[in-house]
Amino acid sequence: MRTKLVAGNWKMNGNLASNQALLEAVIPALAPLKRANYAVCVPFPYLAQAQHTLRGSNVALGTQDVCQFDGGAYTGGVSAAMLVDFGCRYVIVGHSERRSAFGESDEVVAFKFAAAIKHRLTPILCVGETLAERESGLTEAVVARQLDAVVKRCSLAALGQCVIAYEPVWAIGTGRTATPQQAQAVHATIRARVAAADRRLADELVILYGGSVKAANAAQLFAMPDVDGGLIGGASLAADEFIAICRAAVGAEEIVRA
Ligand code: 13P
């Protein structure tokens, strides 16, 4: 049985005051929701604040990038060991915004994934196609290429220590969510690709959907058999929306009990 995960990706948003208000609203609301896992992936400067505020809660700390190098003369880099130092559990790697706005290749993403694994961080590996790629029938090939780059560098077994996030680029920040059926189809393809090499690993692999997830559509997406939760951008910045999405992940039964 896979446990659902809802992770907020704050992207380059927030400040000390707004982060504090957001976390202080989210933490008590999620405390009774025991049947799923939760995380917030915060910008680097706020790691200490989030580490301190999340202490003792059931919301894990994550961040949004890691340097592929271990340490030393890499100006501006933030190493995996530094993230561990601040109590990080998750790190997003290969987000499409980093691939497009910062020119990260499949190979760089694979090195970042390796750096995270080496330091026992859980990488949240983002994969997904652009609209042009989808319209050209390339969705499966693009996702396979992005996955294979990581497997080639780190081995298939390394996928057992990560979370995958399927994030169609055309659905990110656009309000245009993939339908539950579109998400399910790609998630099933990813799982089948891993299952072809290792069925057990595939059965345990947590695959999140990301791209305009909101309180209004989360339950339908999370009801799909291969959708194991969400990576939430904009809606993770509004406490009420994020809490409602997390509630959708535990399902109606636990909400009634809570
Ligand atoms: P939105 O939820 O704002 O579409 O962003 C999704 C995303 O990129 C999460 O990593």
Side-chain angles (χ1 to χ4, degrees):
M1 246 316 253
R2 298 184 293 272
T3 303
K4 283 199 164 47
L5 168 66
V6 180
N9 175 7
W10 290 2
K11 307 193 180 183
M12 199 167 70
N13 292 292
N15 56 50
L16 286 170
S18 68
N19 300 344
Q20 201 62 32
L22 179 56
L23 292 174
E24 285 177 8
V26 163
I27 289 167
L30 302 194
L33 306 181
K34 308 280 188 217
R35 288 205 309 215
N37 294 319
Y38 314 99
V40 285
C41 296
V42 311
F44 293 142
Y46 302 116
L47 280 170
Q49 177 192 26
Q51 178 189 29
H52 177 77
T53 308
L54 293 173
R55 192 163 287 146
S57 79
N58 62 344
V59 182
L61 180 60
T63 191
Q64 304 163 18
D65 187 27
V66 62
C67 186
Q68 63 269 47
F69 305 115
D70 253 355
Y74 297 102
T75 301
V78 174
S79 72
M82 293 172 184
L83 300 181
V84 171
D85 218 6
F86 279 89
C88 260
R89 162 128 188 244
Y90 296 100
V91 59
I92 297 171
V93 296
H95 193 283
S96 61
E97 286 152 14
R98 295 219 53 95
R99 292 179 192 261
S100 63
F102 298 91
E104 288 186 11
S105 63
D106 289 338
E107 207 193 6
V108 166
V109 172
F111 275 109
K112 291 187 170 199
F113 185 103
I117 294 279
K118 182 175 169 196
H119 292 270
R120 299 184 187 282
L121 288 159
T122 301
I124 301 177
L125 172 65
C126 297
V127 297
E129 80 288 2
T130 62
L131 186 58
E133 288 164 342
R134 173 164 281 260
E135 287 173 346
S136 312
L138 291 173
T139 299
E140 203 172 314
V142 168
V143 168
R145 190 201 73 221
Q146 292 170 334
L147 265 182
D148 290 353
V150 167
V151 171
K152 186 168 156 223
R153 163 114 339 256
C154 303
S155 85
L156 185 83
L159 292 186
Q161 293 161 66
C162 84
V163 168
I164 308 273
Y166 169 56
E167 298 208 315
V169 178
W170 48 272
I172 295 176
T174 59
R176 186 177 164 191
T177 320
T179 65
Q181 293 71 23
Q182 284 173 322
Q184 167 58 25
V186 180
H187 284 227
T189 302
I190 293 169
R191 204 178 303 285
R193 190 169 184 85
V194 178
D198 186 334
R199 166 150 292 284
R200 215 171 121 198
L201 196 162
D203 284 344
E204 288 169 5
L205 186 62
V206 171
I207 308 176
L208 310 181
Y209 168 77
S212 299
V213 179
K214 299 178 178 48
N217 57 29
Q220 295 93 304
L221 286 159
F222 297 168
M224 294 291 115
D226 288 295
V227 176
D228 305 315
L231 185 56
I232 319 299
S236 74
L237 299 170
D240 288 354
E241 276 285 311
F242 190 63
I243 293 163
I245 293 166
C246 293
R247 288 198 171 128
V250 296
E253 191 193 325
E254 184 163 352
I255 294 165
V256 172
R257 285 195 289 125

